Amino acid sequence: GSGVLAGCRGSSDDPLLLSARGELPPAWVKALPKPWRLQPLDSPAAVLAAAMQGPGAPAAALLQLSDGWAAQLDPAVLQPLAAPQLLDQLAPMAAPVSRLFQSEGSPALAFPWAFGTWVLVLRNRPDLVRRGAEGWDLLLDPSLRRKLVLPSSPRVVMELAARLTPQADSLRQLRQQALAFDERDGLNLLLAGDADGVVVPSHRAVPLLISDPRLQALLPASGSPLWWNLLLRPAAAATPVPLEWLRDGLTLPLLDRLLAGGWVPPLPREQLAPALNRWPQQLRGLLLPPPAVLARCTNLEPLTAMERQRSQALWDRAAPESP
């Protein structure tokens, strides 16, 4: 009878992992132990609202957010992750992220399970790929004017502008190149031929680079901002974190499936090497940049109110003139 069906659906007391759609690798989600359930929401903003325990929001035992979204949370709505052995396995670069960039000695509130860079993906543009040594300056190439999709985050666009060969108004020039600011739909614009280039997080690029020979990706030697994907524990959650499941994501065979989706756990290089060595050289450098390039990549740490105002003013001043 109906009781059997209800059983399949899981009970309302089952611990929930809330994530934005498409932000967790399907193979890893499949391995989530019972009675845990994934509840995908339409956007990171919806996950953020649930974290704030808004009225009608589902009560989650675990949340998935990127570092940019997690930075908007008051740490008081979270509890320490309580997974010291697992966090100790990660590379040292993950430590500040696990504290959400609070001072050293603060408790780890996040499990940074994947990270990567922003890359420039080009479609049928061998001419630009050959000039890859020019790095991010390629974004200002006249042939890309209104044929380039840039990230939706002004912060990331400003970081990219800061990596261009210094010019008086490189941010304005960069903004004038954009057909759109939209990394979610940017690859569709690229595949449809509306754009020639798109700057996206590496995890969006990798699966397509494997399947579509028209696409090539560049990660300039000057590095890029880093993106991080995190799991966080709401203050009200009573269910312990599924430690075995987290560990599975860091080890073979599941690690292979995560890498295929462009999700790279921040493990020490020598631990990732055996899994990465099975990939073509070109993709390997996108999944885990060479040490010198990675050293030039930067975290987008939360801004103070003052810095936010300054950034906003810079962004507004660089608005392109209307055509």
Side-chain angles (χ1 to χ4, degrees):
S2 61
V4 178
L5 284 172
C8 296
R9 253 203 318 270
S11 104
S12 56
D13 315 335
D14 289 351
L16 285 186
L17 163 53
L18 293 189
S19 94
R21 223 171 280 289
E23 291 289 299
L24 281 173
W28 197 30
V29 169
K30 217 184 259 153
L32 196 61
K34 293 192 164 33
W36 280 84
R37 283 189 301 136
L38 174 75
Q39 184 168 344
L41 301 178
D42 281 337
S43 67
V47 179
L48 193 68
M52 312 266 205
Q53 292 286 293
L62 211 49
L63 306 162
Q64 171 277 322
L65 282 171
S66 67
D67 52 330
W69 287 95
Q72 300 177 41
L73 284 173
D74 175 349
V77 305
L78 300 169
Q79 62 175 308
L81 203 76
Q85 285 89 355
L86 274 182
L87 287 163
D88 286 347
Q89 284 185 33
L90 304 181
M93 64 185 285
V97 189
S98 73
R99 301 190 300 266
L100 298 181
F101 301 107
Q102 296 187 84
S103 57
E104 221 164 319
S106 305
L109 296 171
F111 184 70
W113 63 271
F115 84 111
T117 59
W118 289 78
V119 296
L120 169 60
V121 183
L122 296 162
R123 177 176 170 271
N124 292 337
R125 292 300 305 266
D127 56 320
L128 290 180
V129 173
R130 275 196 296 276
R131 290 165 44 204
E134 292 174 37
W136 291 114
D137 286 352
L138 287 175
L139 297 178
L140 296 183
D141 193 81
S143 71
L144 284 181
R145 185 164 178 119
R146 297 262 182 263
K147 299 289 270 176
L148 177 68
V149 181
L150 289 173
S152 56
S153 156
R155 178 97 189 265
V156 176
V157 176
M158 291 170 82
E159 280 281 323
L160 295 173
R163 289 169 192 268
L164 300 173
T165 303
Q167 279 168 339
D169 55 356
S170 46
L171 180 56
R172 171 171 302 180
Q173 289 186 30
L174 185 54
R175 287 183 65 178
Q176 282 172 339
Q177 292 285 84
L179 164 74
F181 295 88
D182 183 355
E183 71 276 0
R184 271 183 176 277
D185 208 35
L187 285 161
N188 292 335
L189 293 168
L190 189 71
L191 296 173
D194 298 321
D196 281 359
V198 52
V199 178
V200 289
S202 50
H203 71 85
R204 289 188 186 278
V206 166
L208 279 172
L209 292 166
I210 295 170
S211 62
D212 191 330
R214 300 169 305 174
L215 305 182
Q216 282 177 289
L218 297 171
L219 170 61
S222 64
S224 88
L226 291 174
W227 59 264
W228 291 87
N229 213 312
L230 314 172
L231 291 168
L232 309 137
R233 202 171 172 212
T239 313
V241 174
L243 293 173
E244 286 293 316
W245 178 71
L246 294 183
R247 193 173 295 117
D248 287 346
L250 304 178
T251 44
L252 294 168
L254 257 176
L255 178 57
D256 264 342
R257 309 287 295 276
L258 265 67
L259 294 176
W263 305 106
V264 182
L267 289 164
R269 193 172 288 271
E270 58 278 8
Q271 247 175 285
L272 282 168
L276 282 173
N277 288 343
R278 294 206 271 274
W279 290 82
Q281 185 67 50
Q282 207 188 351
L283 277 172
R284 225 179 291 170
L286 285 180
L287 285 163
L288 184 63
V293 178
L294 193 53
R296 295 186 201 108
C297 293
T298 46
N299 285 319
L300 297 179
E301 300 195 18
L303 300 176
T304 63
M306 212 32 200
E307 291 166 329
R308 259 204 307 276
Q309 279 177 327
R310 219 181 3 238
S311 295
Q312 187 65 54
L314 270 174
W315 181 255
D316 294 343
R317 268 207 306 280
E321 335 261 300
S322 4

